[in-house]
């Protein structure tokens, strides 16, 4: 092996530690830590946790207060909106009552007739549109059906 050879043999660290034998510990063990005299009991530990968390109760109280204020604001806003809508409904009812109390004139009856005719025409147009759309969908989805229809038509014409 020459100067440039810098290979190092691999040594398994676990095997090397086992080969050395048992290790003497100079510090405390886990068992010593668990059996220490100042270690708190479970109840004492829970009391400490409660004391720590008690400090954050002020934050929780503040959040509750803010939530209540927000709910109150929402309730007021809702009442305001509902009162506006009730006023509008009352006005509409009054205007409808006024219209009902008026004596029917010949022009008003003809206008209502023409309005009903217009509505009927609109409905007819809508139906036609819907039918044509459904036909288009049907035609798009069934190329095979088209060819069979064409065959039938051709056989009838012959």
């Amino acid at each position: 092996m020459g100067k440039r050879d810098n290979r190092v043999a691999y040594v398994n660290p676990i095997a090397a530690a086992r080969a050395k034998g048992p290790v003497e510990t100079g510090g405390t063990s886990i068992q010593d830590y668990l059996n220490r005299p100042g270690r708190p009991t479970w109840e004492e530990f829970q009391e400490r946790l409660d004391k720590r968390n008690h400090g954050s109760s002020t934050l929780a109280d503040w959040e509750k207060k803010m939530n209540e204020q927000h709910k109150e604001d929402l309730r007021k806003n809702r009442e305001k909106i509902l009162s506006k809508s009730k006023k509008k409904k009352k006005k509409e009812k009054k205007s409808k009552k006024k219209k009902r109390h008026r004596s029917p004139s010949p022009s008003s009856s003809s206008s209502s007739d023409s309005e009903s005719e217009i509505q009927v025409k609109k409905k007819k147009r809508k139906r036609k549109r819907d039918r044509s759309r459904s036909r288009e969908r049907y035609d798009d989805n069934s190329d095979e059906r088209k060819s069979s229809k064409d065959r039938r038509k051709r056989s009838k014409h012959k």
Side-chain angles (χ1 to χ4, degrees):
M1 307 204 76
K3 292 181 192 177
R4 295 183 190 171
D5 188 16
N6 55 5
R7 289 181 290 175
V8 179
Y10 173 75
V11 178
N12 185 349
I14 296 170
R18 284 184 184 153
K20 288 181 182 178
V23 178
E24 294 289 327
T25 58
T28 59
S29 67
I30 295 173
Q31 193 67 32
D32 294 337
Y33 179 76
L34 292 174
N35 293 330
R36 74 186 187 279
R39 182 171 179 237
T41 63
W42 180 245
E43 290 81 22
E44 291 172 347
F45 177 72
Q46 284 184 330
E47 287 176 9
R48 284 185 189 174
L49 283 178
D50 289 341
K51 286 180 183 176
R52 284 184 195 162
N53 293 337
H54 183 67
S56 65
S57 67
T58 55
L59 176 63
D61 293 340
W62 180 79
E63 285 179 344
K64 284 181 184 177
K65 182 181 174 186
M66 294 304 291
N67 282 336
E68 289 172 4
Q69 286 180 353
H70 184 67
K71 286 179 184 178
E72 185 67 23
D73 291 342
L74 290 174
R75 187 185 58 76
K76 286 179 182 178
N77 190 22
R78 187 181 310 119
E79 287 176 359
K80 190 178 188 182
I81 292 171
L82 289 174
S83 66
K84 285 182 182 179
S85 65
K86 286 180 182 178
K87 288 179 184 178
K88 286 182 181 179
K89 287 180 181 178
K90 286 181 182 178
K91 286 182 181 179
E92 289 174 2
K93 286 182 181 179
K94 285 182 182 178
S95 64
K96 286 182 180 179
K97 286 181 182 178
K98 286 181 183 178
K99 288 180 181 178
R100 288 181 192 164
H101 291 292
R102 291 181 185 164
S103 62
S105 64
S107 63
S108 66
S109 64
S110 64
S111 68
S112 65
D113 291 341
S114 64
E115 290 175 0
S116 63
E117 290 173 1
I118 290 171
Q119 289 177 350
V120 168
K121 287 180 182 179
K122 285 182 180 179
K123 286 182 181 179
K124 286 182 180 179
R125 287 181 197 152
K126 190 174 181 181
R127 286 181 194 153
K128 281 185 179 180
R129 240 185 281 137
D130 292 342
R131 286 179 192 155
S132 65
R133 287 180 183 166
S134 64
R135 284 184 199 138
E136 290 172 3
R137 285 188 207 128
Y138 180 75
D139 291 342
D140 291 342
N141 292 335
S142 60
D143 290 334
E144 295 175 32
R145 291 180 187 161
K146 278 185 178 179
S147 61
S148 64
K149 283 182 183 178
D150 291 342
R151 287 183 212 142
R152 289 181 196 155
K153 285 181 184 177
R154 289 177 192 159
S155 65
K156 286 181 182 178
H157 290 288
K158 290 182 182 177

